[in-house]
Amino acid sequence: TLTPLPVVIVLKDTLEKRGALAQIKARIRAEVFNALDDQSEPRPALSRENLLINELIREYLEYNKYKYTASVLTAESGQPEVPLDRQFLAKELNIVEDASGKSV
């Protein structure tokens, strides 16, 4: 049997209000990307500068709870799965963190 259209609309609205629909769409995009990612095509070597830049972007994405976007960045860029240590990152970028910066 077919689901009546009003039920589908109510379900969609409910998922949107809960913020779940955007997460579902992001998850689907990430899974499609992973399925289509050609592992046989070698990636260029990740330079030190790109490693640091990518890590800053990943930290921003994870801080804002864009976990599926972060997973796509990690997979596509060849960034290590385990994030770099924050103290190491601060030292490499010559950043001095104060108490307010550590929470970000």
Side-chain angles (χ1 to χ4, degrees):
T1 54
L2 295 174
T3 304
L5 189 57
V7 173
V8 173
I9 292 171
V10 170
L11 180 59
K12 178 183 175 274
D13 289 346
T14 302
L15 291 172
E16 281 179 341
K17 286 177 187 171
R18 292 181 180 174
L21 190 58
Q23 290 178 344
I24 291 167
K25 287 179 180 180
R27 177 64 189 235
I28 290 171
R29 280 189 214 101
E31 291 300 328
V32 167
F33 171 78
N34 287 335
L36 296 176
D37 189 25
D38 185 1
Q39 298 295 328
S40 66
E41 184 179 321
R43 289 189 178 86
L46 190 59
S47 71
R48 178 182 170 276
E49 291 81 10
N50 282 345
L51 176 76
L52 296 173
I53 292 167
N54 289 346
E55 194 60 36
L56 289 173
I57 294 168
R58 176 169 45 186
E59 187 168 324
Y60 162 82
L61 294 171
E62 290 178 356
Y63 176 79
N64 287 289
K65 306 213 184 319
Y66 303 144
K67 60 184 176 181
Y68 300 118
T69 306
S71 72
V72 170
L73 169 70
T74 301
E76 189 171 20
S77 68
Q79 195 78 1
E81 290 290 327
V82 177
L84 297 176
D85 179 68
R86 188 176 172 107
Q87 289 179 330
F88 170 79
L89 200 55
K91 182 180 175 189
E92 287 294 305
L93 299 170
N94 294 321
I95 296 172
V96 178
E97 287 187 296
D98 59 11
S100 64
K102 288 183 188 253
S103 65
V104 177

